[in-house]
Amino acid sequence: MASSMSGMPGMPAAGTLPPPGISAYLTWHPDAFFLAASILAAALYLFGVVRLHRRGDRWPIGRTLSFLAGLLVFVGITCTGLNEYGMYLFSVHMIQHMMLSMVDPLFLLLGAPITLALRAARPAGRGHTGPREVLLALLHSRFAKVVSSPLFTLPLFVVSLYGLYFTSLFDALMRSRVGHDFMLVHFLMVGLLFFWPVMGVDPAPHRSPYVIRILELFAVMPFHAFFGIAIMMSTSVFETAFANPPANWGLTALSDQNTAGSIAWGFGEAPTIVVLLVLFVQWAKSDRREAKRKDRKADRDGDQELVDYNAYLAGLAQRSGHTDGVAAGTQPRVPAQEPVAEA
């Protein structure tokens, strides 16, 4: 591949792009597919929020801002110069990968789009099936249970790193615009599937206790760290798509590859800390809700649970006392002395 390598159909050739830099990365290069998908997602979300408000229901503004921020991040990754240079620089491509799989899902999931859809959609009449019923059926389906299980999400996350970059699959996908776009969508979907049961606020078929979720999060960290270190410490270029950057860009393929490895390693740490903080906050809120629920139940039934527990303890004490009494009553008795008859 020459230094003046041509771009794939629909994308400019590397030689026609200016040297990489912050201004070049932030230049507006809209992708019709990704831009249309983002606008549609924003419109549907805001439509749901407006419908709730019109019927007097409340929807947290923080969730709306989080979801819209996630869409802005997505547009920033797919509709700017990052998407152009991501075809020719491993480091920029890795920024796209890490942002779409480790950062963007956090914003989108905290927006609770599934919960919003369930609340905004009206139930269909008896004997009919509407969007709400379809969504509920999907959430309760065997497919949803499988894809939300850690037995599926953890291997998928790991395979998406090693199976893509350390095989010929990556170069095969990079030969076409469709393959490149497929990878970007795949990165986002893998991130959404992984973080959905871990820290998402939407209902999920599989939702482990908080301790298990933290363990699931830590389970992928060694694989992610080793992946970044392996790329960062490599002494040879192993991706043909990035083997010959233009000479006027002032960098080599190997140095850019090592930078990509450091980016992958760094992104494995910071988002993990953010998710941990979110989990601890959710855990604390869950405990407070459970305490309030028990308080309300105690107010309704006169704290019947405590009464039952005290009665149970009293029963134990009574049985223990009865046993002690029986034991005391079986002590051996000394026979009474008969009176001696007087002569």
Side-chain angles (χ1 to χ4, degrees):
M1 190 185 304
S3 62
S4 60
M5 54 189 172
S6 59
M8 64 173 55
M11 296 193 71
T16 65
L17 294 173
I22 299 298
S23 60
Y25 294 157
L26 297 181
T27 302
W28 181 244
H29 287 278
D31 180 284
F33 172 74
F34 292 128
L35 184 59
S38 300
I39 293 174
L40 178 61
L44 290 175
Y45 191 95
L46 293 176
F47 173 77
V49 173
V50 171
R51 170 172 281 190
L52 287 183
H53 281 286
R54 283 181 174 176
R55 71 185 189 202
D57 291 339
R58 180 177 173 272
W59 184 255
I61 185 63
R63 291 184 178 180
T64 302
L65 294 178
S66 178
F67 189 82
L68 294 179
L71 292 180
L72 286 177
V73 170
F74 183 75
V75 170
I77 294 299
T78 59
C79 295
T80 63
L82 287 173
N83 203 29
E84 310 298 321
Y85 288 91
M87 287 303 307
Y88 307 111
L89 291 177
F90 202 176
S91 58
V92 179
H93 171 84
M94 193 58 67
I95 290 175
Q96 289 184 287
H97 184 164
M98 294 298 107
M99 289 292 293
L100 290 175
S101 64
M102 299 290 292
V103 176
D104 205 24
L106 308 185
F107 289 102
L108 296 174
L109 290 172
L110 289 176
I114 297 177
T115 301
L116 176 62
L118 291 174
R119 290 183 58 184
R122 295 188 178 91
R126 184 183 296 273
H128 295 81
T129 300
R132 189 174 189 275
E133 288 71 25
V134 172
L135 182 55
L136 284 173
L138 179 61
L139 287 174
H140 292 89
S141 67
R142 183 179 298 274
F143 172 78
K145 292 179 180 179
V146 170
V147 300
S148 64
S149 168
L151 297 179
F152 179 83
T153 59
L154 294 180
L156 177 65
F157 195 93
V158 174
V159 170
S160 295
L161 295 175
Y162 296 88
L164 178 63
Y165 292 101
F166 295 157
T167 67
S168 59
L169 178 60
F170 182 81
D171 282 328
L173 290 173
M174 289 291 286
R175 293 194 186 104
S176 69
R177 179 62 181 262
V178 174
H180 174 255
D181 290 350
F182 171 81
M183 277 193 290
L184 297 184
V185 174
H186 171 77
F187 297 152
L188 180 62
M189 295 306 299
V190 168
L192 290 172
L193 285 178
F194 177 75
F195 288 111
W196 174 32
V198 172
M199 52 78 66
V201 294
D202 281 323
H206 180 88
R207 188 60 60 85
S208 303
Y210 283 98
V211 174
I212 303 300
R213 295 191 219 177
I214 293 174
L215 293 178
E216 291 176 17
L217 184 63
F218 279 113
V220 302
M221 290 182 63
F223 297 98
H224 201 286
F226 181 79
F227 169 77
I229 293 173
I231 297 177
M232 184 167 48
M233 302 301 292
S234 177
T235 58
S236 61
V237 176
F238 57 86
E239 300 295 1
T240 304
F242 304 120
N244 295 286
N248 66 323
W249 284 6
L251 48 82
T252 65
L254 183 58
S255 65
D256 182 63
Q257 179 177 281
N258 295 339
T259 301
S262 64
I263 291 172
W265 178 80
F267 267 93
E269 303 295 329
T272 300
I273 296 175
V274 173
V275 175
L276 278 176
L277 292 176
V278 171
L279 282 177
F280 283 126
V281 171
Q282 291 178 345
W283 196 349
K285 289 183 178 180
S286 177
D287 288 344
R288 288 197 295 268
R289 286 195 300 267
E290 180 64 16
K292 291 180 179 179
R293 186 191 67 80
K294 291 183 177 180
D295 289 342
R296 289 194 298 268
K297 183 176 182 297
D299 293 339
R300 289 195 303 269
D301 58 17
D303 209 354
Q304 187 61 41
E305 185 176 349
L306 180 60
V307 172
D308 294 340
Y309 182 68
N310 288 335
Y312 169 74
L313 293 179
L316 289 179
Q318 184 178 4
R319 286 195 294 271
S320 176
H322 176 71
T323 302
D324 292 343
V326 172
T330 58
Q331 294 296 324
R333 293 179 297 173
V334 178
Q337 296 291 333
E338 294 187 8
V340 179
E342 296 183 358

